[in-house]
Amino acid sequence: LVTYASKMGSTQQIAEAIGHELETSGIRITLAPCADSVSPETFDGVILGSAIYTRRWLKAAKRFLKRHAGELDPKTTWLFHSGPIGEGAREQQVPAPKAISRLIARYGLRAPVTFGGRLDTEHATGPLSRWMGAEGPLSGDFRDWDRIRAWASDIAQQLDRDSAERQQ
């Protein structure tokens, strides 16, 4: 399961790229927004992503994690968030918000990986984001697609190993 919460479409596109990379590796995936009430219980692995704004996850992703944290296997659950923009966004690691950190610690989940975001006037949803997305140092696409695909490829390899071990 690759599930996500996205406000302006950037995180959704990251989730789609992750799903595509997993499919390329021979893994069958379901891609769905967190708000679709999808349950992780029938999946061998779960990747959950959220856009992050002012160091907060979107409500749909936070609700998904709260609702299902106890069902998630720490070995086969991966988290990511996207959103940093501007110079250094591709390398920036943003710590998980406090509520997310508490759930991660309580259930032994991995900390989320941070991917850069995208901000432009075409996808902006409000006056502030349109203003910030206008030409300037915060405007642009700061996603590192090679890094995103490499992360997904690593996950595919881990899932393949886990599957092989279960079959033995």
Side-chain angles (χ1 to χ4, degrees), residues 7-140:
K7 186 173 180 180
M8 293 188 250
S10 177
T11 304
Q12 177 180 345
Q13 290 174 339
I14 291 171
E16 290 167 350
I18 290 167
H20 179 75
E21 186 66 32
L22 294 172
E23 287 178 324
T24 300
S25 299
I27 296 172
R28 200 176 68 208
I29 66 119
T30 296
L31 178 74
C34 295
D36 280 359
S37 300
V38 60
S39 172
E41 64 189 46
T42 60
F43 295 94
D44 294 330
V46 175
I47 299 170
L48 168 60
S50 179
I52 189 167
Y53 292 92
T54 62
R55 305 213 184 268
R56 289 187 176 93
W57 275 25
L58 296 180
K59 286 180 184 177
K62 187 176 173 181
R63 272 191 234 119
F64 181 92
L65 188 57
K66 279 184 172 181
R67 186 178 322 119
H68 299 293
E71 304 167 47
L72 299 174
D73 181 346
K75 293 180 188 174
T76 57
T77 301
W78 296 268
L79 308 175
F80 75 90
H81 48 225
S82 68
I85 53 175
E87 187 177 334
R90 288 179 175 87
E91 299 83 29
Q92 187 176 354
Q93 281 301 315
V94 176
K98 288 180 184 172
I100 302 302
S101 291
R102 285 193 292 274
L103 288 168
I104 289 169
R106 182 174 179 190
Y107 293 100
L109 301 172
R110 295 176 182 96
V113 171
T114 305
F115 296 121
R118 176 195 69 208
L119 182 61
D120 57 39
T121 54
E122 180 183 344
H123 299 95
T125 57
L128 180 60
S129 58
R130 278 193 293 278
W131 175 75
M132 290 173 60
E135 293 301 315
L138 299 179
S139 177

